[in-house]
Amino acid sequence: MFKLIIGNKNYSSWSLRPWFLLRQADIPFEEVLIPLYEQEWKAHIHKYSPTGKLPCLIDGKVVVWDSLAICEYIAEVFSGCYLLPRDAAVRAEVRAVSAEMHAGFASLRKTMPMNVRKRYPGHGRTAETMADIERIVEIWQSCRQRFADKGPFLFGELTLADAMFAPVCTRFLTYGVELPEPARSYMHFILNTPAMQIWYREALTEPYIIPSSELDDEVEAV
C-alpha cells in the first residue's frame, strides 16, 4: 500500500494534490500527517523525504517527492484508472496544464495562500494575481467547453490535472473570486467531490495554527 506523507490540511496546497488524486480515484493509501512548523518538524520530514519538503510518496522501496511527480507516478502505477488519458493529444494537454500549474502562478500563491478554514473576500487582488486568475479561468473554460460531454472533470474524466488545480478551487472560495461559467461550476464540482469534502472536514478540526499563513482582515470564518 502507498504511504503518503503530507502537511497540514488547512494550509498545504502541495499535499492536497496527490491526496485528492488518490482519494478521488479510490486508491488505498496510508496517510502520515506531519504538522508544519511544529517541534522537530523538519527532522520528521527528513525521515521520509530527501528534500525535507512535503508531500512525499512511499511505495515499498520507491520514494517519490514533489506533487507533480507523485501524481504522474500514481497515474502510471494505476494505469487502468486512466488518470492520464489514453488519447495522446489529450494526454499531452493534461501534462501541459498540470506543469503550468506546478511551475507558475507565483503571485496567486503569494497573495492568496491556502487557508480552507477562513474567508477573505476581496483580499489579494493585485494586477499580477488577477492575471494569474485570468489564465486559470482560460484553461478551465477551454477544457470544460471541449470535454463537458465526457464528464464533469476538466477533461471529462478524473485526471492528474484536476489534482493539480484542486488547491486553486480552495483559494477561489477562500478569497471570494467570482468566476464565469463553466469555470464556476467546475470549481463547485471539485469542492463538492467526496475527496474534497473529507479534506475540508479534517482541515476544520486540525488543532494546528501557522501564524504566518493567517491574515488579519478575516471577514467570515468557516
Side-chain angles (χ1 to χ4, degrees), residues 35-54:
L36 304 176
Y37 303 103
E38 296 288 316
Q39 187 175 11
E40 297 183 350
W41 64 283
K42 275 286 189 182
H44 289 310
I45 294 174
H46 271 293
K47 292 177 182 178
Y48 302 99
S49 172
T51 64
K53 297 179 180 180
L54 298 176

Side-chain angles (χ1 to χ4, degrees), residues 49-99:
S49 172
T51 64
K53 297 179 180 180
L54 298 176
C56 182
L57 183 76
I58 312 296
D59 181 21
K61 295 182 178 180
V62 177
V63 180
V64 189
W65 57 97
D66 180 274
S67 61
L68 181 55
I70 294 171
C71 290
E72 287 266 8
Y73 182 77
I74 294 167
E76 290 179 351
V77 172
F78 288 88
S79 58
C81 295
Y82 300 110
L83 300 174
L84 281 170
R86 284 159 283 187
D87 182 274
V90 180
R91 187 165 65 248
E93 185 175 358
V94 167
R95 283 191 159 116
V97 299
S98 296

Side-chain angles (χ1 to χ4, degrees), residues 114-190:
M114 181 167 157
N115 188 328
V116 305
R117 288 196 292 251
K118 299 295 181 64
R119 296 292 181 268
Y120 301 112
H123 181 88
R125 302 304 203 272
T126 66
E128 294 80 5
T129 297
M130 294 307 298
D132 283 351
I133 292 171
E134 289 176 9
R135 174 55 188 155
I136 291 169
V137 169
E138 182 182 13
I139 293 170
W140 290 5
Q141 298 285 77
S142 174
C143 290
R144 293 310 303 138
Q145 287 164 1
R146 289 178 291 131
F147 296 99
D149 62 334
K150 298 184 182 300
F153 293 95
L154 274 183
F155 292 85
E157 297 180 348
L158 175 67
T159 70
L160 59 88
D162 300 291
M164 297 303 293
F165 282 102
V168 174
C169 295
T170 74
R171 285 180 162 100
F172 286 174
L173 178 63
T174 296
Y175 297 94
V177 176
E178 293 292 332
L179 301 174
E181 291 292 349
R184 182 191 298 115
S185 293
Y186 171 71
M187 180 192 81
H188 287 297
F189 168 74
I190 293 295

Side-chain angles (χ1 to χ4, degrees), residues 184-220:
R184 182 191 298 115
S185 293
Y186 171 71
M187 180 192 81
H188 287 297
F189 168 74
I190 293 295
L191 291 174
N192 285 285
T193 56
M196 193 66 85
Q197 289 291 296
I198 294 170
W199 181 276
Y200 263 80
R201 185 165 63 247
E202 295 177 355
L204 294 178
T205 60
E206 279 183 350
Y208 316 112
I209 300 293
I210 300 177
S212 62
S213 295
E214 298 289 329
L215 304 177
D216 295 330
D217 55 346
E218 179 189 357
V219 173
E220 176 187 355

